[in-house]
Amino acid sequence: MNYASELRRVYEACLPFVGEGKVADYIPELAGVDPSYFGLCLHEIGGATHSVGHANVPLSIQSISKVLTLAMVLPQNLDSFERVSVEPSGDPFNSLVQLEYESGIPRNPFINAGALVVTDMLIAREAQPKEAILEFVRALSGDSSIGFNLEVAESELATAHRNRALAHLMRGFGNLQADVERVLDVYCHHCALEMTLEQLVHAFAFLCRGGRSWGREVMPLRAVKRINALMLTCGFYDEAGEFAYRVGLPGKSGVGGGIITVLPGHFVLGAWSPGLNPKGNSKLGMRALEMFTDNTGLSLF
Amino acid sequence: MNYASELRRVYEACLPFVGEGKVADYIPELAGVDPSYFGLCLHEIGGATHSVGHANVPLSIQSISKVLTLAMVLPQNLDSFERVSVEPSGDPFNSLVQLEYESGIPRNPFINAGALVVTDMLIAREAQPKEAILEFVRALSGDSSIGFNLEVAESELATAHRNRALAHLMRGFGNLQADVERVLDVYCHHCALEMTLEQLVHAFAFLCRGGRSWGREVMPLRAVKRINALMLTCGFYDEAGEFAYRVGLPGKSGVGGGIITVLPGHFVLGAWSPGLNPKGNSKLGMRALEMFTDNTGLSLF
Amino acid sequence: MNYASELRRVYEACLPFVGEGKVADYIPELAGVDPSYFGLCLHEIGGATHSVGHANVPLSIQSISKVLTLAMVLPQNLDSFERVSVEPSGDPFNSLVQLEYESGIPRNPFINAGALVVTDMLIAREAQPKEAILEFVRALSGDSSIGFNLEVAESELATAHRNRALAHLMRGFGNLQADVERVLDVYCHHCALEMTLEQLVHAFAFLCRGGRSWGREVMPLRAVKRINALMLTCGFYDEAGEFAYRVGLPGKSGVGGGIITVLPGHFVLGAWSPGLNPKGNSKLGMRALEMFTDNTGLSLF
Amino acid sequence: MNYASELRRVYEACLPFVGEGKVADYIPELAGVDPSYFGLCLHEIGGATHSVGHANVPLSIQSISKVLTLAMVLPQNLDSFERVSVEPSGDPFNSLVQLEYESGIPRNPFINAGALVVTDMLIAREAQPKEAILEFVRALSGDSSIGFNLEVAESELATAHRNRALAHLMRGFGNLQADVERVLDVYCHHCALEMTLEQLVHAFAFLCRGGRSWGREVMPLRAVKRINALMLTCGFYDEAGEFAYRVGLPGKSGVGGGIITVLPGHFVLGAWSPGLNPKGNSKLGMRALEMFTDNTGLSLF
C-alpha cells in the first residue's frame, strides 16, 4: 500500500469541502480558530510518517486527551477498573441522566463524567498530575515542546458548569475523591493540550504497536486491546456506531476538530478540520477518514 | 496458528464451568434445553473447520438470525438505510423508551424493534419471506436440512406481548408497513431457526471472506464492513461494550446460548452453552471466547 | 353569588377569542368540528342550571369519559385499587416510557394506559360493558338519548396504534386480562360518547353532591373525595399543575375541547371550545375557567 | 365542629404507632432526633389553637421552609414567574434528569432545584437574605425567638453534593445568578429553621385567611390561591398524588418529619413525627392527617 499517495488522493478529493461544519464556539479561544485548516497525517508501523495539509499546526486536542490520561491509569487497574463502566452511552443528552440512574458510575471513560473519574485516579497517584501528564505525552510524542494552552484551560474552567454538576453528583455518590475544583483544574488542563497532527500520531503509535513506543513497553497488549475496543465503541460521543459503520477504525475525536484513528498493526491516521457536525465530530475529518477506508479497504472489518 | 489445539485448550479450561448461568425460561421449549451442552467450532478462512464438544447438536439460534435477515436486505439498501439507525442502544430497558423518544426509528437492527423493521423490509420484497429465509440460510450453510422449530415459533408468537407493543408503536410512527401479526409471524419463525455450530460458522463465513460464500459473492465488501461494525457495536444487547472490551471480536449472541464471532480475513468462531448471564449472553460462551482471544492475541484490536 | 350573570360576564369577555387554538385532527370526525363553537354551563348544588352559548350542542367527550368509567369501578375497589397508581405523570411523552419503567402499572387512571386498565376492570365485571356504560351515563344525566358516535369509535379504533402498544405492553406485564382488541373496542366507544355541556354537568353532579345523583347514592363520600383529588392532580395531561395553579378546580378535559370542573358543595362548571392549546386542553375553555375563578374568588384554594 | 376533641381522637388512635418509619439519617443532627416525638396542632380561622402531644418542641422544618421563601418572592413575580414551572415532577429520581431535559427550568418551587432558584431570586432582592428570612418568619409566627440551627445548616452544607450539582447545572443553563456557594448557604440556612408546630401553624395562617396575618395583608388572594394549589400538586415529593388522594389537603412536608396542611377558610393543621416513609414523608403524620379528614369529612374535595 502506498500510503502517501492514498493520503494525497483523499486530501485532494476533500479540498472542495474545506470550511464545512461549525467551529466550536463555547469559549472564545476555540471560536477564533481559522476554519480553513485541514490536514491529514499517517504514521506507519514501519516508522514512516506521511503528511498533507496542516499537519504541523498545533490544535487544541480537547477530548483526544482522554485516551492519553486513560493510558496513564488503565494498566495498573486492568483487573479492577470498576469506577467507570465500558459501555457506549447511547444518550444524546450528555449523560447527567445516565449518571444519576446508574449511581454515579459513568458509562465509559470517554464521556466527560468518566474522564473526570480517570483524572481523579491520576490525582490520587501523582503528586503533580499536570506535570506528569506533560511528561507522559512528551515522551510518547518524542517532543518536549508540547504544552498546555493556559488561556484555553482558564476559559474552560470558567465555563465548566455542567462538568462541575457532574463532578458534584459523582462526589455525592462517593465516586470522586479529590476536591472537585482540583479535579476540574487538572481535567481542563489536559483538554487544553496543544499538539500538531504529527505529534498526535506519534503519541498514539503505542496503540498500533501492541503497547510499545520508541522501543519501550508503555503497557501490555491486554491493555492496548481494551483501549482500542473502548475507542471503537465509545470514541465519538453518540456517533460511535455511525463512525464504526462508516469508517470502521477505533479512534477519538475532540471539539477542536481533531480525530485520531488506529488500525492495530498497520498505522495511526489523524485528521484535522475545525468545522464540526451536529454531533460534535469534525465533519471534513470524518469524510476524509471514510473515504480513506473505503478506497483502501483497510479497516478493522 | 494451530487453531485446533488452541480450541481444545480453551475447551478444557472451560469444562469445570459447564452448567453456569441461567437457561432462558420464558418459553417452555427453551427452558427444557440441557444446560450441560457446550461446544466450540472454528472455521478458518482457508477452509478447515475445527470442532470440540457439542458442535453438531442443533440449537435455537434466536437473535443470531437477525444478522442473517439483515444480510438479506442491507446490500440493496446500503445508501438509504434510514428506517433503522446504527448506534448502540445503551439502554438496559429494552428500548421501548428510546423508540418513543426517537420517533419510531430503532437504534440498530439487532435490538428487537430494529429486527422487526428489517423483517418488514424483507416482507415487502419477498412474496414468501419464510421460504426465502430458509433458502438463503441453507445456501450459506451448504446444508439443505436446516429448518424452523415450529413449536418454538408458536410459543414465541403466543408470548410476544412486548414485541407486539414495539410493532404497534412503530406502526403508529409510520415505520412498519406490513400487518403487525404478519411481521411477528415471520420474525418469530426466523428466531426459531435451528442450526448446529458447524452450520452457523459456515453460514457466517461470508463475513470473514469479504462477502464471498462457497465462491459466490453474497454482498460487496462495503456491506460486509458495515455488518461487522454493527455486530461489534450492537451485537450483545447492552453488553456490547463489555464484549468488545474483553473479547474484541464482532459477533452476535442469542438467548439460546449461541454466540458467533468473526475475525475478518482469519476465522469464524462459534460457542454454545445455554446458561446465560444477567445481560442475556451465554456466560460460558463469553468466558471461552475471551480466553481464546487473550491466549492467541487474535482480535480486532 | 349570581352565577348566571358571572357566567355571562365571562362568556362575553371571551367572545373575542372564539376560534383560538387548534382543533384535534388525528381523525376526520374531530377535524371537521366547527371551531367557532363556544359554550359554558354551570349546575348549582341547589339544582339550577345556567347556560350561555353552545351548551346544548353535542360534543365528543373523549377523555372526559375516563372519569365516568372510573366512577363505575372505583367504589367496589376503594381499598384495593392497585393496578393503577394515583400520581401525576409529569411526562410530556405520553407515558409509554413510565409504563415500562414502572412494570406496567399506569401512573393514574386518566392517562390512556390507566384508562385502559379501568376499562379492563369494567369488562371483567360487566357481560355487556358498552351497554352498561350507556346505562350508567344516561342515568347520571337523566337523559336516555345519549349514545356513542359510531363513526368516531371506528376511526379511533383504526388509528389506535399507540394505545395498542400500551395495551400489549401491559399485557406483557400481566396487567391486562381481557383480549387487547376487546379492551380497545370498549375504550374507543366510551371515548366516542356524545353529550352536550348540559348533559355533562348533570352527569358530574354527584361529584359536587357528596356522591348523590337525583337523590340516590352513586358512591360514598370517600370515593368522591378520591375522584376529585385525582381530577385535580391528574385531570389535564401534563398541564395539571398549571390548571390547578391558574383555575384551582378539579376537572377533566378531552381533545374534543370539553372541560368539566367541580367545586364540591357548590357547583359543576363546564366549558367547550374545540380549539386546543399545545398540551391538548381547550384554550378558550381554560381562559374562561380561569377568569371565572379569578372573578368570583371561588376555587378550592 | 369540635376541633379539640377530633384532634385528641386522632391522636389517641395514632399513639400505638408512635415510632414507626425511619428517621432521616443523612446528617447526624437529624439522625439523633428522638423517634417517639409525636404532636398535632390545629389553628382555626377564628383564632383558637388546639394542641396535643409535642406541639411545643422545636423541630427542623427543612423543606417546609420552601413555602415560606416562595411566599417572600411570589407576590412580586405573580405574572412573570417563569424561571420555575408549576407542574408536579412525577419523577422518583430527584429531578436532576428532568432539569436536564427541560433546559434548567425546575418543575416546581418545592423540588430542590426550584427552591434553589427561589432562593436565588431572594438573594437578588435582599442585601441580607438570611436576616430577611428570619424577620419574615418571626413576623408571621408572632414569635421573635425563632432561629436557625447552625449545626444543621453547616452539616447540610458539607454534604450538599447533589444540590451543588443541581445548582451548577442550572448555572450552566443560565438559570442561577448568584454564586453557587452563596445560594447553597442561604438555602441550607432556611432549611435549618427550627420551629414548633404551634409556631408553624401560626406562620401558615395567611394561607388559610386569604393572605392576611395578624390583621395585615401578606399577599393578595390570587397569590394565596396559587401557593395552595402548588402545595396540593407538588408539596409531597413524588407522593403528592397519594397525599391528595388520601388526605385531600394542600400541604408541605419536610424530612424532619413535620407536615403542615391548610383548609382555606377553615384551619391550618400540623403534624410531627420524625419517622419517615420510603418517599420521605412522615409516616405517622400522614396516617394522622388521613384519619382526621376521613373522620371529619373536612377536605378540599
Side-chain angles (χ1 to χ4, degrees), chain D residues 2-27:
Chain D
N2 185 331
Y3 287 122
S5 68
E6 286 295 340
L7 214 58
R8 175 148 299 278
R9 186 176 152 208
V10 168
Y11 179 75
E12 281 167 7
C14 284
L15 278 179
F17 302 101
V18 163
E20 70 178 352
K22 189 171 175 312
V23 176
D25 58 3
Y26 66 99
I27 56 169

PDB file of all heavy atoms in Angstrom, chain D residues 2-27:
ATOM      1  N   ASN D   2     -66.094  20.343  66.735  1.00  0.00           N
ATOM      2  CA  ASN D   2     -65.252  20.474  67.912  1.00  0.00           C
ATOM      3  C   ASN D   2     -63.845  19.989  67.561  1.00  0.00           C
ATOM      4  O   ASN D   2     -63.511  18.807  67.676  1.00  0.00           O
ATOM      5  CB  ASN D   2     -65.841  19.665  69.076  1.00  0.00           C
ATOM      6  CG  ASN D   2     -65.034  19.890  70.334  1.00  0.00           C
ATOM      7  OD1 ASN D   2     -63.833  20.164  70.270  1.00  0.00           O
ATOM      8  ND2 ASN D   2     -65.693  19.777  71.490  1.00  0.00           N
ATOM      9  N   TYR D   3     -63.026  20.913  67.093  1.00  0.00           N
ATOM     10  CA  TYR D   3     -61.702  20.535  66.619  1.00  0.00           C
ATOM     11  C   TYR D   3     -60.860  19.879  67.714  1.00  0.00           C
ATOM     12  O   TYR D   3     -60.120  18.932  67.470  1.00  0.00           O
ATOM     13  CB  TYR D   3     -60.973  21.769  66.087  1.00  0.00           C
ATOM     14  CG  TYR D   3     -61.496  22.251  64.757  1.00  0.00           C
ATOM     15  CD1 TYR D   3     -61.982  23.545  64.601  1.00  0.00           C
ATOM     16  CD2 TYR D   3     -61.483  21.411  63.636  1.00  0.00           C
ATOM     17  CE1 TYR D   3     -62.441  24.001  63.364  1.00  0.00           C
ATOM     18  CE2 TYR D   3     -61.945  21.862  62.403  1.00  0.00           C
ATOM     19  CZ  TYR D   3     -62.422  23.156  62.268  1.00  0.00           C
ATOM     20  OH  TYR D   3     -62.873  23.586  61.061  1.00  0.00           O
ATOM     21  N   ALA D   4     -60.954  20.419  68.939  1.00  0.00           N
ATOM     22  CA  ALA D   4     -60.105  19.900  70.016  1.00  0.00           C
ATOM     23  C   ALA D   4     -60.353  18.408  70.242  1.00  0.00           C
ATOM     24  O   ALA D   4     -59.420  17.610  70.358  1.00  0.00           O
ATOM     25  CB  ALA D   4     -60.354  20.691  71.305  1.00  0.00           C
ATOM     26  N   SER D   5     -61.637  18.024  70.260  1.00  0.00           N
ATOM     27  CA  SER D   5     -61.902  16.609  70.542  1.00  0.00           C
ATOM     28  C   SER D   5     -61.569  15.726  69.333  1.00  0.00           C
ATOM     29  O   SER D   5     -61.097  14.599  69.480  1.00  0.00           O
ATOM     30  CB  SER D   5     -63.357  16.421  70.986  1.00  0.00           C
ATOM     31  OG  SER D   5     -64.221  16.674  69.911  1.00  0.00           O
ATOM     32  N   GLU D   6     -61.786  16.257  68.118  1.00  0.00           N
ATOM     33  CA  GLU D   6     -61.408  15.488  66.930  1.00  0.00           C
ATOM     34  C   GLU D   6     -59.892  15.243  66.900  1.00  0.00           C
ATOM     35  O   GLU D   6     -59.418  14.175  66.541  1.00  0.00           O
ATOM     36  CB  GLU D   6     -61.834  16.226  65.651  1.00  0.00           C
ATOM     37  CG  GLU D   6     -63.321  16.194  65.362  1.00  0.00           C
ATOM     38  CD  GLU D   6     -63.838  14.786  65.068  1.00  0.00           C
ATOM     39  OE1 GLU D   6     -63.031  13.890  64.714  1.00  0.00           O
ATOM     40  OE2 GLU D   6     -65.057  14.563  65.210  1.00  0.00           O
ATOM     41  N   LEU D   7     -59.156  16.275  67.284  1.00  0.00           N
ATOM     42  CA  LEU D   7     -57.702  16.191  67.292  1.00  0.00           C
ATOM     43  C   LEU D   7     -57.239  15.138  68.296  1.00  0.00           C
ATOM     44  O   LEU D   7     -56.373  14.316  68.007  1.00  0.00           O
ATOM     45  CB  LEU D   7     -57.139  17.567  67.680  1.00  0.00           C
ATOM     46  CG  LEU D   7     -55.830  18.002  67.036  1.00  0.00           C
ATOM     47  CD1 LEU D   7     -55.960  18.023  65.528  1.00  0.00           C
ATOM     48  CD2 LEU D   7     -55.437  19.389  67.542  1.00  0.00           C
ATOM     49  N   ARG D   8     -57.849  15.170  69.469  1.00  0.00           N
ATOM     50  CA  ARG D   8     -57.490  14.206  70.504  1.00  0.00           C
ATOM     51  C   ARG D   8     -57.837  12.784  70.079  1.00  0.00           C
ATOM     52  O   ARG D   8     -57.058  11.849  70.311  1.00  0.00           O
ATOM     53  CB  ARG D   8     -58.186  14.576  71.832  1.00  0.00           C
ATOM     54  CG  ARG D   8     -57.965  13.564  72.966  1.00  0.00           C
ATOM     55  CD  ARG D   8     -57.943  14.190  74.342  1.00  0.00           C
ATOM     56  NE  ARG D   8     -56.877  15.170  74.499  1.00  0.00           N
ATOM     57  CZ  ARG D   8     -55.591  14.864  74.780  1.00  0.00           C
ATOM     58  NH1 ARG D   8     -55.214  13.597  74.954  1.00  0.00           N
ATOM     59  NH2 ARG D   8     -54.689  15.814  74.898  1.00  0.00           N
ATOM     60  N   ARG D   9     -58.971  12.635  69.445  1.00  0.00           N
ATOM     61  CA  ARG D   9     -59.415  11.307  68.990  1.00  0.00           C
ATOM     62  C   ARG D   9     -58.393  10.707  68.002  1.00  0.00           C
ATOM     63  O   ARG D   9     -57.987   9.546  68.112  1.00  0.00           O
ATOM     64  CB  ARG D   9     -60.765  11.484  68.287  1.00  0.00           C
ATOM     65  CG  ARG D   9     -61.450  10.207  67.876  1.00  0.00           C
ATOM     66  CD  ARG D   9     -62.827  10.533  67.277  1.00  0.00           C
ATOM     67  NE  ARG D   9     -63.245   9.533  66.308  1.00  0.00           N
ATOM     68  CZ  ARG D   9     -64.049   9.767  65.281  1.00  0.00           C
ATOM     69  NH1 ARG D   9     -64.562  10.977  65.084  1.00  0.00           N
ATOM     70  NH2 ARG D   9     -64.369   8.780  64.450  1.00  0.00           N
ATOM     71  N   VAL D  10     -57.950  11.536  67.067  1.00  0.00           N
ATOM     72  CA  VAL D  10     -56.939  11.064  66.114  1.00  0.00           C
ATOM     73  C   VAL D  10     -55.635  10.757  66.844  1.00  0.00           C
ATOM     74  O   VAL D  10     -54.991   9.726  66.605  1.00  0.00           O
ATOM     75  CB  VAL D  10     -56.706  12.130  65.022  1.00  0.00           C
ATOM     76  CG1 VAL D  10     -55.459  11.809  64.200  1.00  0.00           C
ATOM     77  CG2 VAL D  10     -57.932  12.244  64.114  1.00  0.00           C
ATOM     78  N   TYR D  11     -55.255  11.647  67.736  1.00  0.00           N
ATOM     79  CA  TYR D  11     -54.002  11.484  68.470  1.00  0.00           C
ATOM     80  C   TYR D  11     -53.964  10.145  69.193  1.00  0.00           C
ATOM     81  O   TYR D  11     -52.996   9.388  69.104  1.00  0.00           O
ATOM     82  CB  TYR D  11     -53.845  12.640  69.459  1.00  0.00           C
ATOM     83  CG  TYR D  11     -52.599  12.588  70.304  1.00  0.00           C
ATOM     84  CD1 TYR D  11     -51.358  12.917  69.762  1.00  0.00           C
ATOM     85  CD2 TYR D  11     -52.658  12.215  71.646  1.00  0.00           C
ATOM     86  CE1 TYR D  11     -50.210  12.878  70.533  1.00  0.00           C
ATOM     87  CE2 TYR D  11     -51.512  12.171  72.427  1.00  0.00           C
ATOM     88  CZ  TYR D  11     -50.280  12.506  71.864  1.00  0.00           C
ATOM     89  OH  TYR D  11     -49.151  12.463  72.627  1.00  0.00           O
ATOM     90  N   GLU D  12     -55.056   9.842  69.867  1.00  0.00           N
ATOM     91  CA  GLU D  12     -55.085   8.603  70.657  1.00  0.00           C
ATOM     92  C   GLU D  12     -55.097   7.365  69.766  1.00  0.00           C
ATOM     93  O   GLU D  12     -54.454   6.366  70.058  1.00  0.00           O
ATOM     94  CB  GLU D  12     -56.272   8.627  71.624  1.00  0.00           C
ATOM     95  CG  GLU D  12     -55.909   9.502  72.835  1.00  0.00           C
ATOM     96  CD  GLU D  12     -57.097   9.876  73.716  1.00  0.00           C
ATOM     97  OE1 GLU D  12     -58.205   9.356  73.488  1.00  0.00           O
ATOM     98  OE2 GLU D  12     -56.888  10.706  74.633  1.00  0.00           O
ATOM     99  N   ALA D  13     -55.798   7.468  68.648  1.00  0.00           N
ATOM    100  CA  ALA D  13     -55.817   6.331  67.715  1.00  0.00           C
ATOM    101  C   ALA D  13     -54.432   6.089  67.116  1.00  0.00           C
ATOM    102  O   ALA D  13     -54.092   4.972  66.715  1.00  0.00           O
ATOM    103  CB  ALA D  13     -56.844   6.590  66.604  1.00  0.00           C
ATOM    104  N   CYS D  14     -53.634   7.161  67.063  1.00  0.00           N
ATOM    105  CA  CYS D  14     -52.306   7.036  66.450  1.00  0.00           C
ATOM    106  C   CYS D  14     -51.227   6.605  67.443  1.00  0.00           C
ATOM    107  O   CYS D  14     -50.171   6.115  67.036  1.00  0.00           O
ATOM    108  CB  CYS D  14     -51.891   8.367  65.820  1.00  0.00           C
ATOM    109  SG  CYS D  14     -52.745   8.688  64.262  1.00  0.00           S
ATOM    110  N   LEU D  15     -51.466   6.779  68.735  1.00  0.00           N
ATOM    111  CA  LEU D  15     -50.415   6.510  69.727  1.00  0.00           C
ATOM    112  C   LEU D  15     -49.769   5.133  69.586  1.00  0.00           C
ATOM    113  O   LEU D  15     -48.539   5.013  69.711  1.00  0.00           O
ATOM    114  CB  LEU D  15     -50.966   6.711  71.155  1.00  0.00           C
ATOM    115  CG  LEU D  15     -50.993   8.172  71.627  1.00  0.00           C
ATOM    116  CD1 LEU D  15     -51.582   8.253  73.031  1.00  0.00           C
ATOM    117  CD2 LEU D  15     -49.583   8.777  71.603  1.00  0.00           C
ATOM    118  N   PRO D  16     -50.546   4.081  69.293  1.00  0.00           N
ATOM    119  CA  PRO D  16     -49.898   2.759  69.165  1.00  0.00           C
ATOM    120  C   PRO D  16     -48.840   2.707  68.063  1.00  0.00           C
ATOM    121  O   PRO D  16     -48.005   1.800  68.040  1.00  0.00           O
ATOM    122  CB  PRO D  16     -51.074   1.831  68.805  1.00  0.00           C
ATOM    123  CG  PRO D  16     -52.296   2.549  69.254  1.00  0.00           C
ATOM    124  CD  PRO D  16     -52.000   4.011  69.154  1.00  0.00           C
ATOM    125  N   PHE D  17     -48.874   3.656  67.149  1.00  0.00           N
ATOM    126  CA  PHE D  17     -47.951   3.600  66.015  1.00  0.00           C
ATOM    127  C   PHE D  17     -46.747   4.526  66.195  1.00  0.00           C
ATOM    128  O   PHE D  17     -45.922   4.658  65.301  1.00  0.00           O
ATOM    129  CB  PHE D  17     -48.689   3.960  64.732  1.00  0.00           C
ATOM    130  CG  PHE D  17     -49.854   3.072  64.437  1.00  0.00           C
ATOM    131  CD1 PHE D  17     -51.161   3.471  64.716  1.00  0.00           C
ATOM    132  CD2 PHE D  17     -49.644   1.804  63.896  1.00  0.00           C
ATOM    133  CE1 PHE D  17     -52.235   2.640  64.454  1.00  0.00           C
ATOM    134  CE2 PHE D  17     -50.713   0.964  63.622  1.00  0.00           C
ATOM    135  CZ  PHE D  17     -52.014   1.379  63.906  1.00  0.00           C
ATOM    136  N   VAL D  18     -46.667   5.197  67.350  1.00  0.00           N
ATOM    137  CA  VAL D  18     -45.542   6.114  67.560  1.00  0.00           C
ATOM    138  C   VAL D  18     -44.222   5.359  67.372  1.00  0.00           C
ATOM    139  O   VAL D  18     -44.066   4.242  67.874  1.00  0.00           O
ATOM    140  CB  VAL D  18     -45.612   6.757  68.963  1.00  0.00           C
ATOM    141  CG1 VAL D  18     -44.264   7.375  69.339  1.00  0.00           C
ATOM    142  CG2 VAL D  18     -46.710   7.820  68.992  1.00  0.00           C
ATOM    143  N   GLY D  19     -43.301   5.957  66.625  1.00  0.00           N
ATOM    144  CA  GLY D  19     -42.007   5.319  66.381  1.00  0.00           C
ATOM    145  C   GLY D  19     -41.920   4.648  65.023  1.00  0.00           C
ATOM    146  O   GLY D  19     -40.837   4.264  64.591  1.00  0.00           O
ATOM    147  N   GLU D  20     -43.042   4.520  64.322  1.00  0.00           N
ATOM    148  CA  GLU D  20     -42.973   3.860  63.004  1.00  0.00           C
ATOM    149  C   GLU D  20     -42.237   4.761  62.016  1.00  0.00           C
ATOM    150  O   GLU D  20     -42.090   5.954  62.220  1.00  0.00           O
ATOM    151  CB  GLU D  20     -44.379   3.504  62.484  1.00  0.00           C
ATOM    152  CG  GLU D  20     -45.234   4.680  62.086  1.00  0.00           C
ATOM    153  CD  GLU D  20     -46.612   4.250  61.520  1.00  0.00           C
ATOM    154  OE1 GLU D  20     -46.831   3.057  61.300  1.00  0.00           O
ATOM    155  OE2 GLU D  20     -47.451   5.148  61.306  1.00  0.00           O
ATOM    156  N   GLY D  21     -41.764   4.149  60.943  1.00  0.00           N
ATOM    157  CA  GLY D  21     -40.998   4.893  59.939  1.00  0.00           C
ATOM    158  C   GLY D  21     -39.531   4.968  60.311  1.00  0.00           C
ATOM    159  O   GLY D  21     -39.093   4.390  61.318  1.00  0.00           O
ATOM    160  N   LYS D  22     -38.777   5.679  59.498  1.00  0.00           N
ATOM    161  CA  LYS D  22     -37.319   5.717  59.635  1.00  0.00           C
ATOM    162  C   LYS D  22     -36.858   7.172  59.694  1.00  0.00           C
ATOM    163  O   LYS D  22     -37.114   7.942  58.776  1.00  0.00           O
ATOM    164  CB  LYS D  22     -36.712   5.022  58.402  1.00  0.00           C
ATOM    165  CG  LYS D  22     -35.233   4.794  58.489  1.00  0.00           C
ATOM    166  CD  LYS D  22     -34.738   3.905  57.345  1.00  0.00           C
ATOM    167  CE  LYS D  22     -33.219   3.783  57.380  1.00  0.00           C
ATOM    168  NZ  LYS D  22     -32.507   5.050  57.523  1.00  0.00           N
ATOM    169  N   VAL D  23     -36.199   7.511  60.788  1.00  0.00           N
ATOM    170  CA  VAL D  23     -35.723   8.887  60.950  1.00  0.00           C
ATOM    171  C   VAL D  23     -34.649   9.202  59.901  1.00  0.00           C
ATOM    172  O   VAL D  23     -33.787   8.370  59.624  1.00  0.00           O
ATOM    173  CB  VAL D  23     -35.172   9.086  62.381  1.00  0.00           C
ATOM    174  CG1 VAL D  23     -34.569  10.477  62.547  1.00  0.00           C
ATOM    175  CG2 VAL D  23     -36.285   8.862  63.399  1.00  0.00           C
ATOM    176  N   ALA D  24     -34.691  10.385  59.313  1.00  0.00           N
ATOM    177  CA  ALA D  24     -33.677  10.803  58.331  1.00  0.00           C
ATOM    178  C   ALA D  24     -32.301  10.719  58.956  1.00  0.00           C
ATOM    179  O   ALA D  24     -32.107  11.153  60.093  1.00  0.00           O
ATOM    180  CB  ALA D  24     -33.952  12.233  57.859  1.00  0.00           C
ATOM    181  N   ASP D  25     -31.328  10.176  58.221  1.00  0.00           N
ATOM    182  CA  ASP D  25     -30.029   9.971  58.861  1.00  0.00           C
ATOM    183  C   ASP D  25     -28.866  10.469  58.008  1.00  0.00           C
ATOM    184  O   ASP D  25     -27.725  10.098  58.269  1.00  0.00           O
ATOM    185  CB  ASP D  25     -29.844   8.496  59.202  1.00  0.00           C
ATOM    186  CG  ASP D  25     -29.947   7.629  57.971  1.00  0.00           C
ATOM    187  OD1 ASP D  25     -30.102   8.172  56.864  1.00  0.00           O
ATOM    188  OD2 ASP D  25     -29.869   6.394  58.126  1.00  0.00           O
ATOM    189  N   TYR D  26     -29.137  11.300  57.029  1.00  0.00           N
ATOM    190  CA  TYR D  26     -28.028  11.746  56.171  1.00  0.00           C
ATOM    191  C   TYR D  26     -27.148  12.801  56.826  1.00  0.00           C
ATOM    192  O   TYR D  26     -26.047  13.062  56.380  1.00  0.00           O
ATOM    193  CB  TYR D  26     -28.552  12.227  54.802  1.00  0.00           C
ATOM    194  CG  TYR D  26     -29.388  13.467  54.861  1.00  0.00           C
ATOM    195  CD1 TYR D  26     -28.841  14.716  54.571  1.00  0.00           C
ATOM    196  CD2 TYR D  26     -30.735  13.398  55.222  1.00  0.00           C
ATOM    197  CE1 TYR D  26     -29.615  15.850  54.637  1.00  0.00           C
ATOM    198  CE2 TYR D  26     -31.513  14.541  55.286  1.00  0.00           C
ATOM    199  CZ  TYR D  26     -30.939  15.761  54.998  1.00  0.00           C
ATOM    200  OH  TYR D  26     -31.696  16.894  55.068  1.00  0.00           O
ATOM    201  N   ILE D  27     -27.638  13.408  57.915  1.00  0.00           N
ATOM    202  CA  ILE D  27     -26.737  14.237  58.736  1.00  0.00           C
ATOM    203  C   ILE D  27     -26.952  13.848  60.194  1.00  0.00           C
ATOM    204  O   ILE D  27     -28.056  13.468  60.591  1.00  0.00           O
ATOM    205  CB  ILE D  27     -26.951  15.767  58.560  1.00  0.00           C
ATOM    206  CG1 ILE D  27     -28.400  16.177  58.852  1.00  0.00           C
ATOM    207  CG2 ILE D  27     -26.565  16.227  57.152  1.00  0.00           C
ATOM    208  CD1 ILE D  27     -28.592  17.689  58.947  1.00  0.00           C
TER     209      ILE D  27
END
